[in-house]
Amino acid sequence: MESTISVETLQHAWLLDLAVAPSLPMNRRLYLLLRQSILIGNIKIGAKLPATRQLAKALGIARNTVIYAFELLQAEGFLNGQTGDGTYVADVSFFTQQLSNQQAAVGHPQFSQRGMQIIGDTQLVPRIQSQTHAFIPGIPSVKDFPLDKWIKTLNQVVRRYEPDWMGYVREGGVAELKMALCQHLRLTRALNCEPEQIIVTAGTQQSLDLLIRSLTDHDDLAWIEDPGYNGARSAMRASGVFPCPVPVDEEGLYWEGESALPVPKLIYITPSHQYPLGSVMSLARRQALLQYAYQNNCWILEDDYDSEFRYAGPPLTALQGLDQQGRVIYMGTFSKVMFPGLQLGYLVAPKSLVSGLMKVQSRLYREGQYLVQAALAQFIDQGLFAAHIRRMKSIYAERQSLLKETLSNELKQEARWLGGSAGLHLVIALPNTVDDVALSQDLLRDHIIAPALSTYYTGEVRQKGLMLGYAAVTQEDMPLVVKLLAKHLSNYLDKVCS
Ligand SMILES: Cc1ncc(COP(=O)(O)O)c(C=O)c1O
């Protein structure tokens, strides 16, 4: 037996809605209120609604307002209207069932196993705790970015906005940017490339995802440096690819002598500035790795995320520039040289892969940000990009020295540093008896973010330590944050020495 929903019940709900809901036109408001009440079961399936005239009077609104809401709900199938007989709630049990399933799932999020793995691998930097930016790895000093020049460039480009930029262009990015990048990469990184080999992406993370999806199948295997970049590991897992950890020493990736390492489909490396240890891959290892890739038909994904900031001379030649058989795919990002919020990057692929990769890109993510890409091209062409890199290089070099110097003054024990020839972070090495995860958590309580080196390993933890991103820590903030760092470090080092 259907019940009749009382005018008083609706009156009560209406008054509550008026008190809390944002201001909306009355007819829309009533429609939403009735729909929601039906969906959550406050108005039951089969219930009879009051007549429009009666309801309008009770709610103090025009009858037309009620008629609008009823008609829309009828058109959408929530109500059945039978002239002369009244208006009834339709059988929407499908929706109410979904809602109760969803409520039952609260507290048990239905993530897939790979979703759970990625979530487990990811630590988001708490915003409040990072006001001094000490010592978040991978963050450039955005305060020193020449925002005025960038805005001026954007404004100039807006004035010559091209109709093409408003549509779906499927050419792997704006031609001017590919041209400017190609010149920049040939000059500064000795890359062997033509503009048509460049595909502009929404950053390295997207380049990785695009390449892994396009070049591997589920259950394939990829080599990843250990310790290594968790973002690459997550991209592999997201495609069902198994990340096989390969150790790293002061010459970079080493696999010889590592018995029975399976042949991978692809190899992910950071040869110019190993992430996180900071080592530079030696020429001998580069040659050996290329040789291995040629013999075994593997792709090498070269992540060159921050080598523009090399302190001892110009940036080193990229591995791509040494490749004679088109096995290396180079990935760059503007997240460090410009600012992370830009989220633009690029890859340089062998010619045989370019058109296929562009198709996958256009199907899975689309291109876009053409205006920003064109502005970036102008920024590079006018020399503003190179000038910014030059200026930041000297600021970062100063901050790195200040960190080392201040810490050695504050710390009773001798600090052992890893890396530092390039990039935005250093590693302070710790004895393997130190619990670097607990130390990192203690530092967090003092608003210092210094991830434990252990968390970058998937295999055996060969070196304990802390990652210290110094680039965004100003000269003024440095003494105070280093004091805090030294206090915690000393506590832990004292414990293991005593
Ligand atoms: C090793 C490494 N590669 C690449 C990136 C940049 O990724 P994206 O371009 O997606 O910002 C980062 C950022 O932290 C990184 O640490």
Side-chain angles (χ1 to χ4, degrees):
M1 267 266 301
E2 83 270 358
S3 56
T4 302
I5 180 94
S6 74
V7 172
E8 289 73 31
T9 307
L10 289 176
Q11 215 174 15
H12 182 70
W14 180 245
L15 289 175
L16 264 179
D17 187 71
L18 287 182
V20 299
S23 62
L24 282 174
M26 289 295 177
N27 52 8
R28 195 77 201 155
R29 192 184 265 267
L30 183 62
Y31 153 77
L32 288 172
L33 175 68
L34 291 174
R35 193 181 76 145
Q36 186 60 7
S37 305
I38 294 169
L39 281 174
I40 61 175
N42 281 356
I43 303 181
K44 298 275 180 280
I45 293 167
K48 186 178 182 186
L49 288 174
T52 51
R53 194 184 305 277
Q54 189 194 8
L55 186 58
K57 193 162 174 234
L59 302 186
I61 55 181
R63 186 169 169 227
N64 271 349
T65 304
V66 181
I67 291 174
Y68 167 92
F70 277 29
E71 282 182 355
L72 192 51
L73 289 163
Q74 269 179 37
E76 289 180 351
F78 285 93
L79 297 180
N80 289 323
Q82 286 150 21
T83 336
D85 184 30
T87 306
Y88 295 86
V89 176
D91 182 359
V92 289
S93 47
F94 170 75
F95 294 107
T96 46
Q97 187 60 40
Q98 298 302 311
L99 200 80
S100 57
N101 288 348
Q102 201 182 322
Q103 278 159 355
V106 170
H108 302 282
Q110 305 289 295
F111 286 105
S112 63
Q113 283 193 15
R114 58 184 154 192
M116 290 302 284
Q117 270 178 331
I118 295 168
I119 293 165
D121 271 354
T122 309
Q123 279 184 340
L124 298 180
V125 172
R127 184 191 268 267
I128 295 171
Q129 288 177 322
S130 63
Q131 276 166 7
T132 61
H133 297 106
F135 287 99
I136 313 166
I139 304 289
S141 181
V142 292
K143 282 185 200 150
D144 291 295
F145 181 74
L147 199 56
D148 51 342
K149 295 193 175 100
W150 175 239
I151 290 171
K152 198 169 157 198
T153 311
L154 278 169
N155 284 336
Q156 284 167 353
V157 173
V158 167
R159 266 181 250 131
R160 60 172 186 85
Y161 209 98
E162 292 180 18
D164 253 4
W165 299 345
M166 296 175 75
Y168 290 115
V169 187
R170 297 189 176 95
E171 289 164 2
V174 166
E176 296 142 73
L177 179 58
K178 297 208 276 182
M179 188 78 80
L181 265 174
C182 187
Q183 259 180 328
H184 170 75
L185 293 171
R186 278 195 201 146
L187 186 73
T188 62
R189 312 290 296 109
L191 247 72
N192 193 357
C193 67
E194 306 291 333
E196 66 266 24
Q197 287 174 257
I198 297 180
I199 297 178
V200 181
T201 65
T204 297
Q205 210 50 49
Q206 193 182 75
S207 302
L208 276 167
D209 195 49
L210 169 62
L211 292 166
I212 294 167
R213 283 175 192 270
S214 309
L215 302 176
T216 62
D217 289 303
H218 203 273
D219 290 335
D220 274 345
L221 191 134
W223 282 4
I224 181 163
E225 297 159 320
D226 200 40
Y229 176 45
N230 285 323
R233 203 172 287 131
S234 296
M236 290 170 189
R237 286 190 171 136
S239 285
V241 169
F242 178 74
C244 170
V246 181
V248 181
D249 65 11
E250 57 290 342
E251 281 191 73
L253 195 75
Y254 73 88
W255 62 98
E256 279 152 5
E258 291 290 312
S259 58
L261 262 184
V263 174
K265 208 42 162 306
L266 52 85
I267 300 169
Y268 164 84
I269 46 165
T270 49
S272 299
H273 186 228
Q274 203 275 327
Y275 190 87
L277 295 179
S279 52
V280 176
M281 196 177 206
S282 68
L283 191 61
R285 286 277 170 84
R286 286 172 193 239
Q287 276 170 353
L289 190 66
L290 287 172
Q291 192 65 26
Y292 182 92
Y294 298 159
Q295 279 166 357
N296 294 288
N297 281 336
C298 318
W299 297 107
I300 299 177
L301 309 191
E302 176 179 19
D303 182 356
D304 202 22
Y305 62 105
D306 70 357
S307 64
E308 288 89 348
F309 303 118
R310 187 173 145 77
Y311 307 116
L316 297 172
T317 309
L319 185 67
Q320 195 271 4
L322 300 171
D323 176 21
Q324 301 299 319
Q325 294 192 17
R327 282 276 137 196
V328 178
I329 305 165
Y330 176 93
M331 298 177 294
T333 177
F334 291 103
S335 291
K336 318 290 172 187
V337 267
M338 295 283 284
F339 52 93
L342 196 62
Q343 268 312 295
L344 271 185
Y346 50 91
L347 57 89
V348 183
K351 285 185 182 154
S352 58
L353 292 183
V354 174
S355 88
L357 288 174
M358 275 185 200
K359 283 185 185 161
V360 180
Q361 180 190 40
S362 115
R363 181 48 54 93
L364 292 189
Y365 330 102
R366 308 277 189 248
E367 293 181 26
Q369 307 268 20
Y370 298 122
L371 174 74
V372 181
Q373 289 189 30
L376 207 40
Q378 182 168 315
F379 204 72
I380 297 172
D381 286 340
Q382 292 184 342
L384 299 170
F385 185 64
H388 174 55
I389 293 175
R390 268 198 309 277
R391 180 166 166 263
M392 295 318 293
K393 222 164 100 163
S394 82
I395 293 180
Y396 293 155
E398 260 177 52
R399 289 183 185 176
Q400 190 193 104
S401 319
L402 188 62
L403 166 62
K404 284 178 168 169
E405 196 187 302
T406 323
L407 193 67
S408 78
N409 292 340
E410 294 287 339
L411 201 62
K412 286 179 279 166
Q413 301 84 349
E414 180 112 21
R416 185 162 73 86
W417 297 101
L418 305 178
S421 62
L424 312 178
H425 74 269
L426 279 171
V427 171
I428 182 159
L430 298 171
N432 277 354
T433 41
V434 170
D435 181 349
D436 57 359
V437 175
L439 169 58
S440 167
Q441 277 161 4
D442 277 356
L443 282 161
L444 200 56
R445 280 183 213 109
D446 268 335
H447 309 320
I448 303 277
I449 294 162
L453 192 55
S454 310
T455 60
Y456 293 82
Y457 284 89
T458 40
E460 179 201 345
V461 176
R462 294 167 196 243
Q463 176 66 62
K464 298 277 184 73
L466 289 179
M467 285 279 277
L468 300 174
Y470 50 81
V473 186
T474 61
Q475 329 283 93
E476 295 74 48
D477 286 337
M478 193 70 87
L480 188 70
V481 290
V482 170
K483 220 180 201 15
L484 284 170
L485 173 66
K487 182 186 86 180
H488 288 280
L489 266 173
S490 291
N491 282 346
Y492 275 76
L493 290 171
D494 281 348
K495 261 189 257 167
V496 294
C497 293
S498 60

